[in-house]
Each structure stands twice: as C-alpha cells, then as structure tokens.
Amino acid sequence: MTSWQKVYEKWLGYQNLDPALKENLEELKDDHEALEDAFYKELTFGTGGMRGVLGPGINRMNIYTIRKAVNGLANYILENTVNVKDRGVVVAYDSRYMSQEFAVEAAKVLGSYGIKAYVFESLRPTPLLSYAVRYLGTVAGIMITASHNPPEYNGFKVYNEDGGQITPDQAADIVSYIQNTEDELLVPVMERSELEQKELLNWVGQEVDHGYLERLQSITKLDEEARKKEKDLRIVFTPLHGTAHDLVMSGLEQLNFNNVEVVKEQAKPDPEFSTVASPNPEEHQAFTMAIEQGEKTDAAILLGTDPDADRLGVAVKNKSGDYQVLTGNQLGALMLDYILSHSDPMVLKSARMIKTVVTSELGRAIADAYNVKTINTLTGFKYIGEKIHQFDATGETFVFGYEESYGYLISTFVRDKDAVQAAVMASEMAYYWNGKGKTLLEALEVLYEEHGYYMEGMSSLTLKGKEGTEQIAAIMEAVRNNPITKIADLKVEVAEDYLQSERKFLTSKAEAETIQLPKENMIKLILEGECWVCLRPSGTEPKIKYYYGVCGESKQDSERKLTLIKHAMDEMIEQIRTKR
C-alpha cells in the first residue's frame, strides 16, 4: 500500500469524519487518479497561506486542513507574540462555499487554546480584515478566501499583527508548527455554544466598517469645496458576486458621487459566480454586463472588483466610443501620477513608491519625474506591506504601492492591496480629468508622450495535478540551467535568478551581484532596448506565468516588440515541454 493510500484509508476509517466529506469519499472510491491527487501530498501552505479545491483529503480545502493550519498558527502566536489570549485573532470570510463554516472552525480551534476569536457576522472584503487587525489590536488575522479562483476553490490567508500578509520568514515558522500537528483529524476543537458562553467567540458587526470608512475619507486629493460638491460623473460598478458592494458604495457616497449604478445581476454574493466565466477583473469578459449597462447610461467609468475586493479593474471609453479595460499597469500609472501631482512637494522629499519587479517601468519613470524614489519588491503585496512596516522605523513616506495584477494601495491604514480605496480613487481621478476635458485614456496618452511608450503583457499556462506540478518545475529548471542569450533577436543583457539571489551581466565584464531580496523561484531576463521577460510559477494556482515588457519609440513600435517577445516566449516554453 502506497503512502497516499494509507492516508486515504485512515480518513475512510475515521468514525467521526464529517458526513459530507465521508459521502464525497464514497463517491470517489473508484477514481484512483482523483484520490491520489487528494491524498498524495498536504495542501501547500505558501508564503501567505493556502488555497485549494474543496473536498476530502490532505491536498484539499476542508474543515480538517483548516483545523490543522489554525492549530499551527495558534501554537506559533502563543510562543512568538505577547498577550495572545487577551488580544485574540480576527477572522473574516468572503462569499465562497464553506467560507463561514471555515471561519467558525478557526474560532473553534483557537478557543481550545483559550484564544479569543473575533469573527465577522457576515462576509467582508480582505482589505477590511487587514484594517480590522490594526483597529482591534489583534495578534493576527485570518481571511477565508480564494480571491478570484474558480468556484470549486477556497483558501486561508494569514495576516500578522501589523495587518500585512505574513512574511516568508513568518510563513516558514508557521509551517513548522503546522507540521508538528501529527493528525489533522484529531485537532482539538471547542464547540460553538461553549465558545460563545466563555466569550471566546465574539461576533463583529458594523463598528470596524465605520472606522474604515472614516479613514477612507482621508485618501482624497480634492479640496474641501470639491469634496462637498455633488458629482454627476456616471459610474457603473460591479462587485462580481463578491464582498465589495457596501464599502465601495459608501466610499463613493462620502465623496458625493451620486450617479452610481450597480450591475444588479452581479450585486448579490454568489459562490458560483454564475454570470461570469471567471470573477477576475483582470479578464475582460468579467466586464461584459458592466459594459452593456454602461452603454445604456453612457457611463464615464466602469469599476469591477474581485470577490474578496482586493483587486480593481477599470474600463473607460476610447476614441471609437467603445469601452476599453485598462491594464493594471496603466491604471497604476494613472493613479500614481494623479497622487504625486496633487501632493505637497515637501512630503515628496521623503516619499517612496513601491512596485513589484514585474510591474511596468512606466511607474518608475513617473516617480522619477517627481523626484520620488521607487522601491522594487518581489511579486506579492506581502512584500509591499513589509516595506511599509519598515518605513514606520525609517521615517520614509509611503505614497503609493501597486502591482500589475490589479492590486493597489493608497493609504497605509490598510496593509494589503485594497480595491475599495482604489475604486474611490479611480472615480475621483476620472472626475478630475473629466473636468479637464479628458478621459483616462487621453490622460494616459499624455503620460506615454512624456515618459515613453511602455507596454506589458503576461501569459500563463495552467498545468493541473501532480504531473502539472512536475512540468512547471521542469520548465523553470530548463531556463535556469540553460542560459538564454537572445529572445526575439534582442540580446539578453542581464539575467536575474531570484532563487539563487544572483544578478549576472551577460554583455559586459561586470561581476555578478547579489540580489538583496528574499529568495523566490523566479527568473527575470533584461533585454536590450528597455525590454524584459520574467518567468514565475504562481504561488496560488497551478500555473506558470511569464511576463514581458517593452518601451518603444511609438505605440506601434511597442506593440510590435511586445508581439515578437510573446511569440518567442510561447515557442520557448512549448519546446521545453515537448522535450520532456
């Protein structure tokens, strides 16, 4: 009997197994491939938490994998932080299947250690959870979400006492505590009625929301007169069946945006995300219904948030009168320029803009124009949150942080990407440019003309299951061990291996440098002519992603370069796969 079969037999034979999971196992008993995938390894706890398909097994999201993770977290915080039992842990959840159940399971495990849990009485966005950690002064936060993954997924994200996603070092420590939990089926839990009786389970109402909305008012760059003015800018908003509706609508109302329509069919939380192929504003199909409604009302801007409201997509009309969805890089550049152009020059002397290594260099060019220093981090907002925490000690001033995957942060009362802040700021920015007789696309064109025609793209290859994991590893190994000197006839000038923490200069005699960032399985190749490519396995989905960026003399030149690089990367990845 193989190791996965032993674990499967243990689950099958466990008398107190959750009845629904027991039924699932019975349904799968003749599907050996599915069973192996469910039991051949433990669900990976990455740098921020874990995410996976719902179902029975140690490689699935269920009450037992949740309990094991929370058990590890409980032991970690008890040994590494102070006043744990009094300060407690705050737990929030989104609109997915089992989200509320998992939140309560977390409280049941925490309660068995005498640790208070503050659980929201109904679903809330991820950025509100980040704020709640700081507002309530808890030692940690737990968010039950799978962000924009398909309906069959759910996830578990951990936040530190600063309100940021846990750092890689913290994650590694928590994982060691999780691994010390020998049997996920036997994690101690306290029943909900006893938790409530002992005040170890505290239900959180509207208090945190009100505090968040009060802080949200401070991000505006409008003067007092402009804030109070009734704004007739036509806005269409879709929360894509998720958690953003109430906070976004309240935030816009605070700035007197009174001409806001919500896509009715997508306003209600729905774990099936039944009106979209994917509830991800990065994918333009998610805007289909918003575009239809926008065309009827001649809306100036369309806003779309993902289910847990940490990502924002925006669409505006182009010269042809059609709605065009801005890329994350484009929206980030526009917000950065708007914020910096409306900031006190004295504040900008110590200001820092933070972006990731795969985010457009247009942001750096804009920041340079305002004499604002740009800081690069690895992919993932946890690194941006970590930098903000460091600023508390250094006296540097955070002015904006963003990543190409539609994540933005304007103000540090939240320490993670925040689509509510971004939705309000994008609307304000559209209102400002509308007053100047420009759309956001026309404002973007001004930035291109001033700083250069920066364009970016991203491709991803989904490779599921055990075999897919092996293929992704093989692709990264092949690129790492077989140095590439040219891509689309462009010389590779610098090779950066973030797993080896090494930067090599291929077209000069300069000595290799150490990359002063945490290790990550990612390779970036910087090409001649301000072009670059980057390969990175996703930390949350069974995908390998490859990013590419260019800067051309014109829009047409940039589009041409981008197409050539994309085709070259597609061919290279396919050649590696077929050689296996």
Side-chain angles (χ1 to χ4, degrees):
M1 187 181 290
T2 64
S3 57
W4 76 260
Q5 288 172 317
K6 289 177 183 176
V7 183
Y8 163 61
E9 292 291 343
K10 181 185 78 172
W11 275 56
L12 196 62
Y14 180 51
Q15 285 190 334
N16 296 323
L17 192 72
D18 177 79
L21 294 175
K22 184 93 169 178
E23 186 178 333
N24 291 157
L25 280 182
E26 291 291 344
E27 292 169 356
L28 292 172
K29 65 181 180 182
D30 296 322
D31 190 341
H32 286 266
E33 187 177 342
L35 286 174
E36 180 179 6
D37 193 53
F39 287 96
Y40 86 97
K41 67 167 186 174
E42 290 188 347
L43 194 62
T44 302
F45 190 100
T47 52
M50 60 187 187
R51 199 180 294 185
V53 174
L54 291 160
I58 58 174
N59 191 30
R60 295 287 183 266
M61 287 294 298
N62 52 64
I63 63 170
Y64 302 108
T65 50
I66 286 285
R67 287 176 180 178
K68 184 171 183 175
V70 178
N71 193 62
L73 175 63
N75 282 286
Y76 168 79
I77 58 178
L78 283 167
E79 292 192 25
N80 292 277
T81 48
V82 297
N83 300 329
V84 172
K85 293 183 179 181
D86 288 335
R87 292 166 67 195
V89 176
V90 58
V91 187
Y93 54 93
D94 69 5
S95 56
R96 289 178 175 273
Y97 289 118
M98 297 297 291
S99 282
Q100 187 179 45
E101 290 88 341
F102 289 165
V104 173
E105 288 296 329
K108 288 162 73 173
V109 176
L110 292 167
S112 73
Y113 287 93
I115 302 171
K116 288 182 183 177
Y118 297 89
V119 181
F120 280 91
E121 62 187 5
S122 57
L123 54 82
R124 292 295 194 282
T126 290
L128 192 76
L129 182 277
S130 171
Y131 173 74
V133 172
R134 300 173 64 79
Y135 180 86
L136 297 170
T138 61
V139 295
I142 294 171
M143 184 71 202
I144 306 297
T145 179
S147 188
H148 53 268
N149 278 58
E152 64 269 22
Y153 280 78
N154 211 328
F156 171 91
K157 290 175 73 173
V158 179
Y159 287 75
N160 58 30
E161 61 186 334
D162 191 50
Q165 293 182 43
I166 51 172
T167 65
D169 288 343
Q170 290 168 334
D173 289 342
I174 293 169
V175 167
S176 68
Y177 283 91
I178 293 171
Q179 290 171 344
N180 287 338
T181 305
E182 293 182 4
D183 192 337
E184 65 282 343
L185 299 177
L186 301 178
V187 171
V189 293
M190 185 180 285
E191 288 308 310
R192 176 170 166 173
S193 56
E194 188 180 357
L195 287 171
E196 292 175 331
Q197 182 186 348
K198 294 183 175 180
E199 297 185 344
L200 290 169
L201 172 53
N202 303 273
W203 294 100
V204 181
Q206 297 290 319
E207 178 190 350
V208 177
D209 304 58
H210 294 155
Y212 175 94
L213 287 168
E214 188 175 329
R215 296 296 301 271
L216 185 64
Q217 293 185 71
S218 68
I219 74 170
T220 181
K221 296 297 179 181
L222 299 174
D223 59 35
E224 191 171 349
E225 184 181 343
R227 289 180 210 181
K228 293 178 178 178
K229 187 178 179 181
E230 296 279 328
K231 300 170 183 65
D232 60 358
L233 187 81
R234 293 191 183 96
I235 300 169
V236 168
F237 166 53
T238 173
L240 295 177
H241 302 294
T243 60
H245 178 276
D246 292 356
L247 287 180
V248 168
M249 293 300 287
S250 295
L252 291 171
E253 187 179 335
Q254 287 182 158
L255 278 183
N256 289 301
F257 284 101
N258 297 317
N259 199 347
V260 185
E261 286 193 9
V262 179
V263 179
K264 186 178 178 181
E265 299 88 340
Q266 297 174 331
K268 188 178 179 182
D270 174 11
E272 280 294 324
F273 311 112
S274 51
T275 65
V276 289
S278 169
N280 184 358
E282 287 185 83
E283 298 178 20
H284 295 181
Q285 57 78 27
F287 275 93
T288 301
M289 296 185 82
I291 289 172
E292 289 174 359
Q293 194 158 326
E295 287 172 343
K296 291 175 185 175
T297 60
D298 193 29
I301 185 171
L302 314 179
L303 308 171
T305 53
D306 70 342
D308 69 323
D310 62 357
R311 297 172 194 255
L312 172 77
V314 164
V316 293
K317 282 189 174 180
N318 58 25
K319 290 177 181 178
S320 303
D322 300 318
Y323 285 103
Q324 179 177 326
V325 181
L326 297 171
T327 70
N329 283 312
Q330 291 170 337
L331 182 57
L334 282 162
M335 284 201 281
L336 174 64
D337 181 72
Y338 176 74
I339 290 166
L340 296 184
S341 67
H342 289 80
S343 295
D344 184 341
M346 292 300 292
V347 171
L348 296 184
K349 287 184 177 181
S350 63
R352 304 290 182 261
M353 185 276 284
I354 312 176
K355 71 177 190 67
T356 74
V357 294
V358 296
T359 300
S360 174
E361 289 300 305
L362 177 57
R364 183 190 297 278
I366 292 168
D368 286 348
Y370 291 93
N371 295 313
V372 169
K373 183 180 176 181
T374 295
I375 295 176
N376 263 350
T377 69
L378 293 178
T379 302
F381 234 85
K382 55 186 168 286
Y383 298 111
I384 295 178
E386 186 179 20
K387 279 292 178 187
I388 294 170
H389 179 62
Q390 291 171 10
F391 293 169
D392 292 342
T394 63
E396 295 166 278
T397 303
F398 172 84
V399 288
F400 188 62
Y402 75 116
E403 55 187 3
E404 82 299 331
S405 54
Y406 286 50
Y408 318 95
L409 182 64
I410 292 101
S411 178
T412 59
F413 63 87
V414 168
R415 297 294 169 97
D416 198 4
K417 52 186 178 286
D418 186 345
V420 181
Q421 287 190 31
V424 172
M425 182 57 73
S427 301
E428 176 182 318
M429 182 172 65
Y431 172 75
Y432 168 81
W433 283 112
N434 187 60
K436 301 286 185 184
K438 283 186 168 64
T439 67
L440 289 183
L441 282 171
E442 288 167 337
L444 182 65
E445 190 63 29
V446 172
L447 293 180
Y448 285 143
E449 289 171 1
E450 185 175 348
H451 302 291
Y453 283 85
Y454 289 88
M455 289 189 184
E456 299 75 32
M458 191 274 286
S459 299
S460 64
L461 185 62
T462 300
L463 298 165
K464 294 183 178 180
K466 182 180 178 183
E467 185 180 346
T469 302
E470 291 169 352
Q471 282 190 52
I472 290 170
I475 291 168
M476 293 302 295
E477 187 179 354
V479 175
R480 182 167 282 120
N481 297 334
N482 299 284
I484 299 164
T485 57
K486 270 191 176 184
I487 295 176
D489 286 332
L490 294 169
K491 289 180 184 175
V492 178
E493 295 184 336
V494 182
E496 297 178 338
D497 188 332
Y498 290 84
L499 192 61
Q500 307 295 337
S501 299
E502 186 176 51
R503 179 181 294 112
K504 290 181 178 178
F505 299 91
L506 307 185
T507 57
S508 75
K509 294 182 179 178
E511 291 187 11
E513 295 178 349
T514 300
I515 297 173
Q516 302 296 332
L517 288 172
K519 291 182 181 291
E520 183 169 308
N521 188 16
M522 182 169 72
I523 297 169
K524 185 173 183 179
L525 304 175
I526 299 170
L527 316 178
E528 60 182 317
E530 291 191 80
C531 300
W532 57 271
V533 300
C534 184
L535 288 93
R536 172 182 169 266
S538 171
T540 56
E541 299 170 275
K543 291 180 178 180
I544 183 166
K545 297 181 177 181
Y546 39 110
Y547 307 79
Y548 26 90
V550 302
C551 182
E553 296 176 1
S554 65
K555 181 180 178 183
Q556 291 74 21
D557 185 38
S558 290
E559 288 174 341
R560 180 185 63 81
K561 286 181 178 178
L562 205 63
T563 300
L564 289 173
I565 290 175
K566 179 190 183 309
H567 288 162
M569 290 297 294
D570 289 344
E571 286 179 13
M572 184 183 79
I573 298 294
E574 187 58 31
Q575 284 175 7
I576 294 171
R577 289 186 67 202
T578 53
K579 282 181 181 177
R580 285 189 76 239

